[in-house]
Amino acid sequence: EVQLVESGGGLVQPGGSLRLSCAVSRFTLSSYDMRWVRQTPGKGLEWVSTISGSGGSTYYADSVKGRFTISRDNSKNTLYLQMNSLKGEDTAVYYCTKSGGRRELSFDDYWGQGTLVTVSS
Amino acid sequence: EIVLTQSPGTLSLSPGERATLSCRASQSVSSNYLAWYQQKPGQAPRLLIYGASSRATGIPDRFSGSGSGTDFTLTISRLEPEDFAVYYCQQYGNSPRTFGQGTKVEIK
């Protein structure tokens, strides 16, 4: 069974930084686009970022562009999300997801359990 | 961006009943690239349907999806106790990918 396990969430002050990790197993990471999706009670589910299988292409939601950086280390089977200049509205549960198709735009066929990021002073 | 509106917000039904959930898009969804997810409290969403009508691996056949263009439906033919949850639609035909706000199916 495919597994995705996020870590790195926590409490951070506004303006601070945090790096999320997502360790994957039971599939070849380099063969799939990977994504981060976040969820809040107020705004619901929101796509954050996508990285191609090779890592050569990255995409960001306008709300995080210039502040967040997605990356991957296929040799370590790990996906990352570096979050800088954090704001209160970034408070959410962050999920890493695996692309279910070969297009950049595809559904998410597997999700991690999520990690909570709280931005507050 | 495409806005997805799900209705109703809450559906109160009994086990064994049929559930019909709606997802309406603000513009046509390219190639009917529409997915449905189920989320239970404290858990991540789980893929049920993709391509508007294709069931994901391991999903029981009581779940079915239909629709095209701007109107899509998820039907649960006979509700089992484990089906009471929140359901989200997602369009992945246009950038950015977007989600609906969810429909909660609760026990009546």
Side-chain angles (χ1 to χ4, degrees), chain B residues 2 5 7 13 16-17 20 26 28 41 57 64 69 72 83 86-90 93 98-99:
Chain B
I2 293 180
T5 302
S7 61
L13 295 168
E17 290 194 293
T20 303
S26 59
S28 184
T57 303
S64 63
F72 299 89
D83 298 337
V86 179
Y87 293 83
Y88 296 95
C89 58
Q90 174 203 48
T98 51
F99 294 87

Side-chain angles (χ1 to χ4, degrees), chain A residues 35-37 39 44-50 61 95 97 100 103-114, chain B residues 30 33 35 37 39 42-47 49-51 57 88 90 92-101:
Chain A
R35 309 181 180 112
W36 290 96
V37 175
Q39 185 173 31
L45 290 161
E46 178 189 18
W47 166 74
V48 173
S49 183
T50 298
Y95 296 100
T97 75
R103 300 169 64 243
E104 178 241 321
L105 297 177
S106 183
F107 53 91
D108 306 277
D109 62 353
Y110 288 96
W111 297 57
Q113 86 287 352
Chain B
S30 173
Y33 285 147
Y37 299 86
Q39 187 176 33
Q43 297 184 17
R46 177 176 72 143
L47 176 68
I49 301 287
Y50 62 93
T57 303
Y88 296 95
Q90 174 203 48
Y92 54 96
N94 300 73
S95 181
R97 304 178 317 143
T98 51
F99 294 87
Q101 83 283 9

Side-chain angles (χ1 to χ4, degrees), chain A:
Chain A
E1 174 80 8
V2 166
Q3 283 197 326
L4 299 87
V5 179
E6 301 96 338
S7 60
L11 175 64
V12 61
Q13 293 188 336
S17 299
L18 213 54
R19 188 175 86 153
L20 306 183
S21 300
C22 174
V24 311
S25 57
R26 298 190 178 89
F27 70 97
T28 303
L29 184 60
S30 60
S31 296
Y32 297 93
D33 289 4
M34 296 292 293
R35 309 181 180 112
W36 290 96
V37 175
R38 66 187 181 185
Q39 185 173 31
T40 63
K43 292 190 69 177
L45 290 161
E46 178 189 18
W47 166 74
V48 173
S49 183
T50 298
I51 186 167
S52 62
S54 66
S57 297
T58 57
Y59 309 88
Y60 299 94
D62 288 344
S63 57
V64 307
K65 201 173 294 181
R67 301 187 298 120
F68 289 13
T69 302
I70 191 171
S71 63
R72 61 196 295 160
D73 186 335
N74 290 336
S75 66
K76 294 183 178 179
N77 292 321
T78 303
L79 174 73
Y80 303 100
L81 185 68
Q82 177 67 42
M83 304 186 294
N84 298 331
S85 303
L86 282 161
K87 306 175 183 179
E89 52 262 42
D90 296 318
T91 295
V93 175
Y94 285 74
Y95 296 100
C96 68
T97 75
K98 172 185 167 291
S99 174
R102 299 294 181 180
R103 300 169 64 243
E104 178 241 321
L105 297 177
S106 183
F107 53 91
D108 306 277
D109 62 353
Y110 288 96
W111 297 57
Q113 86 287 352
T115 187
L116 176 62
V117 172
T118 303
V119 183
S120 176
S121 54

Side-chain angles (χ1 to χ4, degrees), chain B residues 3-52:
Chain B
V3 176
L4 299 178
T5 302
Q6 293 187 240
S7 61
T10 302
L11 200 50
S12 298
L13 295 168
S14 300
E17 290 194 293
R18 181 185 188 90
T20 303
L21 288 67
S22 174
C23 176
R24 179 162 291 177
S26 59
Q27 57 187 278
S28 184
V29 175
S30 173
S31 301
N32 294 331
Y33 285 147
L34 194 286
W36 290 93
Y37 299 86
Q38 176 194 68
Q39 187 176 33
K40 297 178 181 179
Q43 297 184 17
R46 177 176 72 143
L47 176 68
L48 299 175
I49 301 287
Y50 62 93

